[in-house]
Amino acid sequence: MTDLSGKRVAFVATDGFEDSELTSPWQAVTDAGATAVLIAPKSGSIKGKNGHTQSVDAVTADVDADDFHALVLPGGVVNADHLRMDESAVGFARAFFEQQKPVAAICHAAWTLIEAKVVDGRTLTSYPSLQTDLRNAGATWVDEEVVVEDGLVTSRTPDDLPAFNAKVVEEIAEGRHSAQSA
């Protein structure tokens, strides 16, 4: 098993996240020894679309990518739609690309990456309804369970979580990716 001891992984989400797309990768990185930190636009707690509630550790306006080794963006339509409108969340996500750190996005989370202007020229996947948005932002969209490109891990739906989680842990273990850029 890959050891992520000493690694801090930021999870950015808000109300309406897809429950399993937060809880499953969270479990994968913590099982590998990482510290997972939940970051949201507001303090308190957030609630998933299927009822999972989780306490917020920090707010997007107060965090710095320098303090983390990787970023995970869970999906969920409402979650992703609200996050892409949060300038702090978008800037935080972009900073991981600028620092060449691993980023993972599943389902509708690619909306935040579009808003951060980091998908142009990249190949990735997402929930199928985002393919036109991604293509319009300059990305090549493919229908695959998991796509990895220079530290960016993307998947389509909760059905892809086993493959997604394995690649998330692998990319975090590898660390910075020199080809990762904003």
Side-chain angles (χ1 to χ4, degrees):
M1 180 178 197
T2 304
D3 184 14
L4 299 182
S5 297
K7 306 277 187 184
R8 287 178 42 120
V9 180
F11 282 74
V12 178
T14 193
D15 291 322
F17 62 89
E18 178 65 50
D19 299 46
S20 62
E21 293 174 358
L22 172 67
T23 60
S24 182
W26 184 286
Q27 188 71 49
V29 301
T30 58
D31 283 353
T35 299
V37 179
L38 181 61
I39 301 164
K42 295 180 183 175
S43 62
S45 63
I46 60 173
K47 187 173 184 177
K49 71 177 211 170
N50 296 314
H52 176 78
T53 300
Q54 191 152 333
S55 295
V56 173
D57 298 309
V59 297
T60 54
D62 297 337
V63 291
D64 191 322
D66 291 337
D67 298 329
F68 298 91
H69 295 92
L71 170 65
V72 177
L73 297 169
V77 176
V78 173
N79 169 61
D81 192 46
H82 288 162
L83 286 180
R84 69 179 172 163
M85 299 301 294
D86 182 296
E87 290 180 26
S88 296
V90 171
F92 185 64
R94 183 174 174 81
F96 282 84
F97 287 86
E98 292 168 346
Q99 296 177 18
Q100 302 176 322
K101 295 177 180 177
V103 174
I106 186 166
C107 197
H108 287 79
W111 272 339
T112 302
L113 302 180
I114 292 169
E115 200 64 33
K117 297 180 178 31
V118 295
V119 300
D120 189 20
R122 295 181 188 276
T123 299
L124 61 153
T125 194
S126 67
Y127 193 76
S129 67
L130 274 67
Q131 63 184 294
T132 300
D133 296 340
L134 285 160
R135 288 182 179 131
N136 287 341
T140 299
W141 186 87
V142 295
D143 187 13
E144 297 176 16
E145 94 179 325
V146 66
V147 176
V148 180
E149 184 182 292
D150 300 323
L152 173 60
V153 180
T154 55
S155 282
R156 303 168 299 193
T157 70
D159 291 343
D160 301 331
L161 280 165
F164 179 73
N165 292 345
K167 288 299 183 181
V168 168
V169 170
E170 179 182 320
E171 294 302 301
I172 295 170
E174 289 176 6
R176 293 181 191 258
H177 291 74
S178 61
Q180 177 78 295
S181 62

